[in-house]
Amino acid sequence: SQCGVCGNPVDPASAPSYDYNGTIYYFRCHGCRARFVADPAKFLKGGPQGAVTGLTDTVTMVTGKAAAATKPA
């Protein structure tokens, strides 16, 4: 699992979280959580700011549910 803001690994059992529109998102730290809470649309649209971009198998938000991933062609 990775933080929805910075892209770092997170442990959902101990990570700060935020319920946005019925989906729980997890974060590396309270600072990342605060950035997401201030502007969720920015991160939902663009994905984690620290994540590698351009890969179709990059999970952009951690929801506590398994996500299907595809490999680039």
Side-chain angles (χ1 to χ4, degrees):
S1 298
Q2 79 185 109
C3 174
V5 172
C6 69
N8 286 333
V10 298
D11 177 4
S14 60
S17 63
Y18 181 67
D19 184 332
Y20 179 70
N21 289 338
T23 300
I24 299 175
Y25 296 93
Y26 298 95
F27 306 95
R28 178 185 64 87
C29 65
H30 291 286
C32 287
R33 182 188 181 279
R35 288 181 62 200
F36 181 87
V37 170
D39 190 3
K42 173 182 176 180
F43 297 100
L44 293 174
K45 178 181 177 185
Q49 302 305 298
V52 176
T53 58
L55 300 176
T56 57
D57 62 345
T58 299
V59 177
T60 57
M61 296 304 295
V62 178
T63 64
K65 300 176 185 172
T70 59
K71 297 286 182 191

